[in-house]
Amino acid sequence: MSASTFGVRHPSLEPGRLGDLELANRLAVSPMTRVSATPDGTPTREMADYYTELARGGFGLVITEGTYTDTLYSQGYLNQPGIVSEAQVAAWREITGRVHAAGAPIVLQLMHAGALSQGSHYREDTAGPSAVPPLGEKMPEYGGHGRWATPREMNPADIEEAVRGFVSSAVNAREAGFDGVEVHGANGYLLDQFLTDYTNRRDDSYGGPIANRVRLAAEVVAAIRAEVGPSFRVGIRLSQTKVNDFTYRWPGSAHDAGVIFTALADAGATYLHIASEGRDWIETAKLEGGVTITGLARRVSGLPVIANGGMHEPEQAAQVLADGHADILSVGRWALANPDLPRRLAEGEALEDFDHLMLQPMATLDNTRRWREAGARAGV
């Protein structure tokens, strides 16, 4: 694929902003699970090299992989990084220093897996909003196999512990030098499990209508905001689809979306990151009335919005920005194939296609390195 086929300067290369955070361009690295930390969740030098390469490639913003927030139920994968120990904070501090030196801001994604935990350093059981077994099977590329376990229904004390984990991890992220945090409320993990009608069957104030189901996500954002103050950036990632359910849509569509976006803006979010509407993004992101989900988020919340999913096509990505559907684009596999994507777009250089073999047999940094070395030996 050639970047020059777009014909003019790509709009993603224009400067962007997330609140008061100025970005050199409107291309962000999407959070991507890489399961390459040590067994106790400490980030590695290999991870530092990975994030630094993306910063040097010219991305306006780097968002990290989902990072677990407590030593109870939050970890989702073996070799997933955490932000709960002094050693983890110190290792992340090295990464933020290198990314900043390479010229990019970096935001840490805070993740609680809930029922979709398929590997933990701390325990074998899982917890979620209700005792409902997740759909589908665990993901082999992240070290899982077989059906998901049925989670234990979280009681009020469990919920309070989860919120405290998000808050303390945000404080640790600020100490580690991050420019902000992004709360993971998407893709079927804990906060999304509370948002989703078929995984949340509670009859208390966290269940039932959408105004109740969004409560936990809003409480997490508000609690972080109260602790870190007004200047630290606190974004949140949302999605309708999930890693174990690619077809789900919010039942109330535009109405439910409006309730969710308003609640999170009122809670103090800096930005909204709306993820995964598929390859034909312009069509699949539409709600009734023709408005896209990100366009609605911008209008209802008044916040900057990051769009994710299907942004690997330069023409579609340009249209998302030019037509006002979003403020920033986050790219995942496009960034893996082209860690210097912004430079390539600016110079009209050919873009590499993503090869899923980069993530086989697991989505580790080591396997990606081996894939690149094999290509180099083959002269590809």
Side-chain angles (χ1 to χ4, degrees):
M1 181 189 303
S2 173
S4 62
T5 60
F6 185 70
V8 297
R9 179 177 170 85
H10 199 277
S12 66
L13 299 175
E14 298 302 320
R17 294 179 67 89
L18 287 177
D20 65 347
L21 184 62
E22 296 184 1
L23 309 180
N25 56 57
R26 304 208 282 179
L27 286 167
V29 177
S30 177
M32 291 177 281
T33 299
R34 303 313 307 270
V35 288
S36 296
T38 64
D40 68 355
T42 303
T44 63
R45 180 61 59 87
E46 186 177 40
M47 290 171 59
D49 292 342
Y50 162 71
Y51 286 116
T52 303
E53 179 184 30
L54 292 163
R56 287 177 178 156
F59 281 94
L61 176 68
V62 175
I63 308 174
T64 74
E65 61 209 280
T67 302
Y68 67 80
T69 55
D70 61 48
T71 58
L72 296 170
Y73 292 101
S74 68
Q75 187 174 358
Y77 311 103
L78 297 177
N79 298 106
Q80 177 187 13
I83 186 72
V84 299
S85 72
E86 291 183 5
Q88 290 166 356
V89 171
W92 278 120
R93 187 180 296 114
E94 178 182 346
I95 292 174
T96 62
R98 289 183 57 183
V99 169
H100 286 150
I106 181 170
V107 165
L108 180 73
Q109 188 183 71
L110 302 177
M111 172 182 159
H112 192 305
L116 292 193
S117 175
Q118 61 179 43
S120 173
H121 182 67
Y122 305 100
R123 63 192 314 127
E124 294 184 359
D125 57 328
T126 61
S130 302
V132 177
L135 298 177
E137 296 187 350
K138 298 176 183 179
M139 296 170 282
E141 62 267 37
Y142 302 123
H145 58 86
R147 306 289 295 184
W148 303 92
T150 299
R152 178 176 66 80
E153 180 172 312
M154 296 174 73
N155 59 39
D158 295 324
I159 293 173
E160 291 176 6
E161 287 286 352
V163 174
R164 279 196 291 269
F166 275 107
V167 173
S168 62
S169 294
V171 172
N172 286 344
R174 183 177 60 180
E175 181 183 339
F178 284 96
D179 298 284
V181 294
E182 178 177 286
V183 175
H184 200 343
N187 302 122
Y189 298 110
L190 181 70
L191 300 184
D192 186 53
Q193 290 159 29
F194 273 82
L195 276 174
T196 299
D197 55 357
Y198 69 78
T199 54
N200 182 349
R201 298 179 181 173
R202 303 176 71 93
D203 58 8
D204 61 6
S205 59
Y206 291 99
I210 187 60
N212 286 0
R213 296 196 311 278
V214 74
R215 178 181 173 190
L216 181 56
E219 285 184 352
V220 167
V221 171
I224 293 174
R225 174 60 68 213
E227 187 66 28
V228 300
S231 60
F232 194 64
R233 296 91 181 178
V234 183
I236 182 165
R237 179 174 166 106
L238 302 161
S239 71
Q240 299 185 92
T241 61
K242 309 162 196 320
V243 294
N244 63 327
D245 184 353
F246 296 127
T247 64
Y248 182 80
R249 294 293 186 271
W250 291 331
S253 194
H255 171 267
D256 283 14
V259 172
I260 293 167
F261 301 149
T262 299
L264 295 170
D266 290 347
T270 305
Y271 69 85
L272 304 178
H273 186 175
I274 314 297
S276 300
E277 295 298 341
R279 289 182 174 271
D280 189 10
W281 190 94
I282 296 295
E283 290 302 318
T284 56
K286 284 183 179 177
L287 304 174
E288 63 261 32
V291 64
T292 58
I293 189 168
T294 52
L296 179 67
R298 293 182 80 207
R299 188 180 76 216
V300 168
S301 71
L303 299 175
V305 171
I306 302 175
N308 171 257
M311 299 303 152
H312 58 287
E313 293 293 342
E315 291 79 7
Q316 179 168 248
Q319 186 178 352
V320 170
L321 293 175
D323 291 353
H325 298 293
D327 301 278
I328 306 293
L329 309 177
S330 73
V331 295
R333 295 180 175 185
W334 205 18
L336 292 182
N338 302 275
D340 57 348
L341 173 64
R343 181 192 64 77
R344 288 177 180 246
L345 282 176
E347 297 178 5
E349 186 175 328
L351 303 177
E352 299 294 335
D353 291 325
F354 172 75
D355 183 351
H356 199 270
L357 290 176
M358 295 176 71
L359 306 180
Q360 295 296 321
M362 285 184 61
T364 63
L365 295 174
D366 185 59
N367 283 333
T368 298
R369 177 183 57 79
R370 293 174 185 273
W371 176 87
R372 288 181 175 174
E373 290 174 349
R377 287 194 299 269
V380 177

